[in-house]
């Protein structure tokens, strides 16, 4: 799916979800905003040129992530340049409990990486793939399970984890990406 179609679908998922905070809307027109003082290109640039993000947008309940607003992109990078594996082309676009999702903007498709305690691993070949898959996972969480994904002891229900993994296997190009997705969201 093209990045434009992925953004439309993703904004619709955000709008239809009962588990959102803040504002996330798609704009047909390129947003008029201050220049981003980072080496940002490709799909991640298209994301920030066409998504209105305000008030710390968060999507998801158990699968929640908080999206980084355009004016916070530079600040979120503080400290990351101390990591010897860090590249200037990495753009952090979301976080979850201090772990982050980032794109490599040196590639026009903006592949997505997860970073748990500064240990990075690839999750998808493009930002559009990530947004499509994440939208599908939110639907599994909210529509199929009604948000009821854990037992009384706060352990994930096995059928929920199996269904998430099934969705990932159906949509990701490698078993490694499936494992990385599962690790980022479920440890």
């Amino acid at each position: 799916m093209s990045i434009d179609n992925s953004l439309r679908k993703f904004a619709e998922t955000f709008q239809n979800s009962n588990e959102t905070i803040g504002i996330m809307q798609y704009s047909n027109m390129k947003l008029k905003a201050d220049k981003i003082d980072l080496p940002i290109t490709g799909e991640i640039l298209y994301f920030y040129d066409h998504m209105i993000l305000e008030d710390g947008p968060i999507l998801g309940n158990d699968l929640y992530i908080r999206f980084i607003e355009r004016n916070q992109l530079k600040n979120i990078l503080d400290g990351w340049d101390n990591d010897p594996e860090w590249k200037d082309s990495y753009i952090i676009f979301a976080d979850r409990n201090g772990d982050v999702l980032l794109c490599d903007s040196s590639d026009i498709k903006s592949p997505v990486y997860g970073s748990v305690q500064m240990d990075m691993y690839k999750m998808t070949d493009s930002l559009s793939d990530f947004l499509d898959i994440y939208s599908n996972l939110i639907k599994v969480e909210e529509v199929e399970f009604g948000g009821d994904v854990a037992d009384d002891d706060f352990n994930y229900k096995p059928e929920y984890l199996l269904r998430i993994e099934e969705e990932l296997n159906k949509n990701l190009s490698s078993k490694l990406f499936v494992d990385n997705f599962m690790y980022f969201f479920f440890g």
Side-chain angles (χ1 to χ4, degrees):
M1 188 176 286
S2 75
I3 186 63
D4 190 68
N5 288 337
S6 295
L7 289 181
R8 291 172 191 267
K9 176 185 171 186
F10 193 68
E12 184 178 305
T13 298
F14 188 90
Q15 299 302 318
N16 292 335
S17 173
N18 293 327
E19 300 293 335
T20 62
I21 295 174
I23 296 170
M24 180 183 294
Q25 298 173 333
Y26 173 80
S27 171
N28 288 327
M29 305 285 288
K30 184 177 176 182
L31 300 171
K32 295 186 188 306
D34 293 337
K35 182 181 179 300
I36 300 171
D37 191 24
L38 294 168
I40 184 170
T41 62
E43 289 189 4
I44 189 67
L45 178 60
Y46 196 89
F47 176 88
Y48 281 104
D49 281 348
H50 293 274
M51 291 298 272
I52 299 165
L53 305 171
E54 296 175 3
D55 300 328
I58 296 173
L59 175 59
N61 184 11
D62 182 68
L63 292 170
Y64 87 91
I65 54 178
R66 179 181 68 90
F67 291 86
I68 308 303
E69 296 173 46
R70 183 183 188 105
N71 63 353
Q72 298 170 345
L73 285 173
K74 191 131 175 115
N75 293 339
I76 195 78
L77 296 175
D78 285 346
W80 285 91
D81 54 358
N82 296 332
D83 182 346
E85 294 184 32
W86 190 259
K87 297 179 185 175
D88 288 341
S89 60
Y90 289 162
I91 305 297
I92 297 173
F93 70 93
D95 78 335
R96 173 182 169 87
N97 293 332
D99 298 324
V100 298
L101 292 165
L102 58 105
C103 288
D104 185 350
S105 67
S106 68
D107 181 329
I108 196 78
K109 293 181 138 297
S110 302
V112 173
Y113 294 79
S115 177
V116 175
Q117 297 179 351
M118 296 186 118
D119 184 21
M120 285 186 270
Y121 44 89
K122 192 172 183 181
M123 295 172 69
T124 61
D125 287 323
S126 69
L127 179 59
S128 54
D129 287 349
F130 177 85
L131 296 174
D132 291 339
I133 292 163
Y134 185 68
S135 291
N136 293 344
L137 297 181
I138 291 296
K139 288 176 186 170
V140 167
E141 178 184 75
E142 292 184 5
V143 176
E144 293 181 34
F145 285 85
D148 186 19
V149 300
D151 63 21
D152 292 340
D153 294 324
F154 304 105
N155 298 308
Y156 290 112
K157 292 181 176 179
E159 60 271 22
Y160 171 65
L161 292 177
L162 285 172
R163 182 62 187 96
I164 291 291
E165 195 164 1
E166 175 185 292
E167 192 66 31
L168 292 171
N169 280 313
K170 185 170 62 171
N171 290 289
L172 289 170
S173 62
S174 80
K175 176 72 171 126
L176 179 62
F177 289 174
V178 171
D179 292 345
N180 290 345
F181 237 100
M182 293 297 289
Y183 178 67
F184 185 81
F185 284 100
F186 303 105

